[in-house]
Amino acid sequence: MRTPLFSILLVFMLSIIAAFPITSTAQTHTVTSPENVLSVTFGLNDGVPFYSVDRFGVPVISPSRLGFQLQGTAPLDRNFRIAAHHTETFDETWTQVWGEKKHIRNHYNELRVELQEAEGARREMSVVFRVYDDGIGFRYEIPEQENLPVIDILDELTEFTLTGNHTAWWVGAYQWNRFEYYPQETPLSAVDTVHTPLTMKTADDLYLSFHEAALVDYSTMTLERTEGYTLKANLMPWADGVRVKGGTSVITPWRTIQISDTPGGLFTSYLILNLNEPNKIEDTSWIKPSKYVGIWWEMHLDKSTWGSGEKHGATTENAKRYIDFAAEHGFDHVLVEGWNTGWDGEWYASGVVFSFTEPYEDFDLEGVAQYALDNGVRLMGHHETSASVLHYEDQMEDAFALYERLGVRAVKSGYVGHGQEIFWLDDDGEPQYEWHHGQFMVNHHQRVVELAARHKIALNVHEGVKDTGLRRTWPNLMTREVAIGQEYNAWGEAGGNPPEYTVQLPFTRSLAGPFDYTPGVVDLHFDQYRPDNRIKSTLAKELALYITIYSPLHMAADLPEHYEARPDALEFIKMVPTDWYDTKVLHASIGNYVTIVRKDVNSDDWYLGSITDENGRFLEAPLHFLDRDREYNAIIYRDGHDADWESNPYDMVIEEITVNANTILPIRLAAGGGQVIRFTPVP
Ligand code: NOJ
């Protein structure tokens, strides 16, 4: 629905801000959000474009610069006049193919400002702002024009000037291990150059998340603190230093700022998805949220190997064992890693090593795929590229065609390799080093998702580019890792992920989108294989990760024999859905504790997941999300009286009680503990 926007104000203002002094001749336009929560002001200050953001009239982003440095021509950042401006209101509710909420309202006011250089080449550029009640997005559009025949961006000058030394949660950019670091919590003044989502908390308890939406044919934006409390876009460059090769026109991703007075408000903001294009896949019936098991954890434990030989994990016999287990317990896919030739030797050194169609001799690919189908299960394919991308591109058409023929509906891919790789040779045969997150790789991943869609295959991408909500447009791009996952519990130098990590995740990595963390390891000590490592949580907390971490493809990561030894935990993992009608946050304190409730999309059941860091605590959960006129049977999986992640992690009590919407449920979490509850209406 499009209606005229009345809330646009044309104002002239004088502002004295140290970071970006505004002159008395500044011309500004202000647009407010539908419920007048947020407002964005765009202006020209002596021809230099800037914007600012207020929440209920209080500055959140002080006046901050906009513009570009271009290769071979003058910068596009000054000397502008406003040629035109347009406003509109948009309000629509759309339906997700799968997700953490079925129906999403996309309600914003938009301001489009068309700029033209006042003299000289008279080049043009537009800036578009969409202002929601829970945040803002803006992007640049540089149209095709005579006086700008080629657009090669040397620098995007977008700034975000904060109003104080906020607390920030961040992962550093330009590091060899890509996104795989634990989030740091520091004052903003200690931030250097960081990935997004970048989360902040102000002294007044306002929560902010900086990220981007719809990253297509552009470089990943990192944020660099340039001075004081000012962050500037820092785009990951190509090997030759150009940051974006734009061709003849450019539409940038949306630069996003989500703003809420609670951390839970960030978690349930769908702004990133709203700023992506609608679904482009006509028939989505083959895209199914589901759970999978696989030949995976045993390699990380070093019980078996990816490479061939006596310890080879991906044998026909072992795969059939997992398929039998999946069929018996209702898991939809069986992932088999190490099935294809190329794993022997240093596969992770970005070599040209893998075949994506040739199985090892002891793995009967066709036979195993058929055995799976005969048992109502499907193989989940695996493409580890070791970041040798062009080698993969040479084979990927055949690779996806093969999997489609074998009935495979989901492929996990991997791009293990250091942050900057040799991806291609230039015309002189010289190796060119590209970042995992530059435009080169963004475009590679786009080619893969479109190819996979043509073969009716969903993707689970590890070591890929961060999620920017493209799953709305390409719902076969189901999940990804792009952070420290469960595997670090097996071999990470920290001896296992610290208990606080999983309570940081909902407000850091997970704000980008679904995360293939691969929860569900129920054998928390694996001394037999890796005595220096363990899972630093209680059993109940490991179960709660199925609720606190969203992924439409969730793994049950442990070995069949470990599940057989813990049937109660397995029972919960079998029942927990991966597609939700709704999601709410009951408690949230970043890095300390979180309680999330989700309603199953296929029934009237609700699930609650609550987790804590290394500190035990009592919380109270008001069950007002339940239907008012019904009683519910609650099956509770909670930490036992003596549970403690360090000394007694398996102490878990399962009990059933009857509750209703008026119940206030006490939740006791052990140190490093958790709790899950399934609420089913009493018939
Ligand atoms: C790293 C991935 O995160 C992991 O899940 C996978 O097993 C290995 N690469 C091998 O592909």
Side-chain angles (χ1 to χ4, degrees), residues 178 180 295-297 299-300 306 335 337-338 343 347 354 382-385 412-416 462-463 481 483 485 487-488 491 516 518:
R178 307 165 309 270
E180 296 181 15
I295 304 180
W296 178 78
W297 185 237
M299 271 88 92
H300 287 273
W306 283 274
L335 168 71
E337 293 197 2
W343 291 91
W347 61 266
F354 288 111
H382 187 232
H383 290 164
E384 173 55 66
T385 67
K412 171 178 171 181
S413 59
Y415 294 82
V416 169
H462 282 224
E463 299 89 32
E481 184 191 48
E487 63 202 33
Y488 278 73
W491 42 254
D516 185 40
T518 68

Side-chain angles (χ1 to χ4, degrees), residues 169-183:
W169 288 264
W170 50 271
V171 167
Y174 294 102
Q175 301 194 68
W176 75 269
N177 212 2
R178 307 165 309 270
F179 280 79
E180 296 181 15
Y181 295 90
Y182 296 112

Side-chain angles (χ1 to χ4, degrees), residues 437-564:
H437 315 297
Q439 187 183 13
F440 176 89
M441 284 304 282
V442 167
N443 291 350
H444 163 74
H445 287 292
Q446 189 62 33
R447 283 193 289 279
V448 179
V449 74
E450 292 184 30
L451 174 68
R454 285 201 292 281
H455 289 284
K456 295 194 170 11
I457 288 178
L459 293 175
N460 168 4
V461 185
H462 282 224
E463 299 89 32
V465 171
K466 69 188 180 188
D467 199 334
T468 58
L470 287 172
R471 62 186 163 127
R472 177 173 179 197
T473 316
W474 298 99
N476 67 320
L477 184 44
M478 291 187 91
T479 189
R480 50 185 112 198
E481 184 191 48
V482 195
I484 286 181
Q486 178 88 277
E487 63 202 33
Y488 278 73
N489 284 322
W491 42 254
E493 278 171 14
N497 297 333
E500 72 166 348
Y501 178 53
T502 41
V503 266
Q504 292 173 327
L505 277 178
F507 313 103
T508 54
R509 160 65 183 82
S510 288
L511 294 180
F515 181 12
D516 185 40
Y517 180 83
T518 68
V521 173
V522 297
D523 187 47
L524 305 166
H525 302 98
F526 19 81
D527 293 349
Q528 186 188 352
Y529 305 115
R530 299 269 195 191
D532 295 336
N533 280 58
R534 55 161 301 185
I535 312 264
K536 294 179 176 172
S537 80
T538 65
L539 183 58
K541 179 175 177 181
E542 189 66 13
L543 298 183
L545 298 183
Y546 284 95
I547 310 293
T548 61
I549 297 173
Y550 179 61
S551 180
L553 298 175
H554 251 325
M555 189 175 199
D558 215 336
L559 314 181
E561 56 269 35
H562 293 162
Y563 285 126
E564 270 144 20

